[in-house]
Amino acid sequence: MKFKVVSPNVESSGNSGTDPQAQIEQMLSGSPVFLFMKGTPESPQCGFSSKVAEILKAWEVPYQSFNVLSDENIRQGVKDFANWQTIPQLYINKEFVGGSDVVEEMSNNGELGDLLKEAFPGRNITPPPPPVEVQEVAALEAASILKENSEIRLLDVRTQHERETASLDNSVLLDQELVEEILGSWDQNAPLMFFCHVGERSRQAAQYFTSQGFQQVYNISDGIKGWSSNVDSSIPQY
């Protein structure tokens, strides 16, 4: 049985005289799964916090969270509480699990699922499907794909300065505003194609969007440099 994801961001008491350790204990008692993070699940303030929130979302489990940026005493307190100096920190059944890399590894190898089953006995906890693979295509093949499918969105992950030096027709700059728009309102079946100078930055961007659930994602493996060499020599090299 699937159930709704609930992730309210808990507030601290705001009383500077309250023992942070007691506050943390109280928070952990309020939910089987608890995440101390920077920001909120809906608006994370660092990539590592975002990663753990997305992992929990993929597992479809209810959890509570606390934004450590809102209370410096709690921010330092959780580091002392777990003897772990970085944020985010995930707890299950009041036991410290780990930070971003640990949670990701445990999600991939199934250990996180075992802990979640213990936290929610009787619930049907099923692992999320693995993200689709990024389709790596050289510039010449990418040009052919774009010609055949006009619905593909061509996304440039370079800087504005680089775009002024050389650009591809019908491409748009992938800035933060567009990232938020894509994640918030675009159909995850919409085909996306990423490029940069030589394919490395765009590969990272493409992998990020597959991790967010997008199903048709391409990366131009040799970038705009390969496009200039093999598709359109009028595009400046730099």
Side-chain angles (χ1 to χ4, degrees):
M1 179 180 73
K2 300 294 185 183
F3 52 102
K4 184 179 180 181
V5 175
V6 181
S7 55
N9 196 57
V10 176
E11 296 182 358
S12 69
S13 66
N15 185 345
S16 59
T18 303
D19 178 15
Q21 304 300 306
Q23 287 185 272
I24 292 166
E25 286 276 11
Q26 184 177 13
M27 292 181 198
L28 296 179
S29 298
S31 176
V33 179
F34 200 99
L35 177 63
F36 291 98
M37 64 183 296
K38 294 180 180 179
T40 67
E42 297 76 19
S43 183
Q45 298 299 304
C46 81
F48 298 114
S49 292
S50 177
K51 180 188 291 186
V52 177
E54 287 299 327
I55 289 171
L56 293 175
K57 178 181 177 181
W59 279 92
E60 298 187 307
V61 293
Y63 68 97
Q64 291 186 343
S65 65
F66 180 81
N67 177 12
V68 299
L69 299 179
S70 68
D71 189 317
E72 185 59 34
N73 289 330
I74 297 295
R75 182 177 184 174
Q76 184 57 47
V78 294
K79 295 178 181 180
D80 298 336
F81 190 87
N83 193 25
W84 187 271
Q85 295 304 304
T86 58
I87 305 295
Q89 295 182 11
L90 178 65
Y91 284 80
I92 297 179
N93 284 338
K94 300 176 69 172
E95 295 291 333
F96 176 60
V97 175
S100 174
D101 290 344
V102 172
V103 172
E104 182 177 35
E105 181 179 354
M106 292 179 68
S107 179
N108 291 337
N109 66 25
E111 292 180 38
L112 182 63
D114 293 339
L115 292 178
L116 292 173
K117 289 175 183 177
E118 294 177 7
F120 299 102
R123 300 283 190 179
N124 182 21
I125 304 294
T126 57
V132 298
E133 294 290 329
V134 173
Q135 300 181 60
E136 296 283 347
V137 292
L140 192 60
E141 183 181 359
S144 176
I145 293 171
L146 288 167
K147 185 176 181 180
E148 294 174 359
N149 187 349
S150 61
E151 294 184 357
I152 295 178
R153 312 292 184 91
L154 185 58
L155 302 170
D156 186 350
V157 307
R158 299 174 303 150
T159 65
Q160 181 60 42
H161 176 71
E162 287 177 286
R163 278 181 64 81
E164 292 169 359
T165 302
S167 64
L168 298 183
D169 290 342
N170 301 316
S171 67
V172 293
L173 179 66
L174 185 68
D175 57 15
Q176 185 59 37
E177 182 178 353
L178 182 56
V179 169
E180 293 174 1
E181 177 187 330
I182 294 171
L183 295 178
S185 62
W186 287 25
D187 184 347
Q188 291 191 330
N189 289 314
L192 310 177
M193 183 176 288
F194 297 84
F195 74 94
C196 62
H197 186 206
V198 293
E200 291 300 324
R201 285 173 288 172
S202 55
R203 179 176 298 110
Q204 294 178 22
Q207 290 171 342
Y208 172 74
F209 278 92
T210 60
S211 75
Q212 301 305 300
F214 283 82
Q215 300 299 303
Q216 299 183 64
V217 181
Y218 300 87
N219 177 51
I220 301 180
S221 58
D222 49 356
I224 196 170
K225 183 176 181 180
W227 195 285
S228 176
S229 298
N230 301 305
V231 179
D232 184 356
S233 60
S234 69
I235 294 176
Q237 294 265 5
Y238 67 95

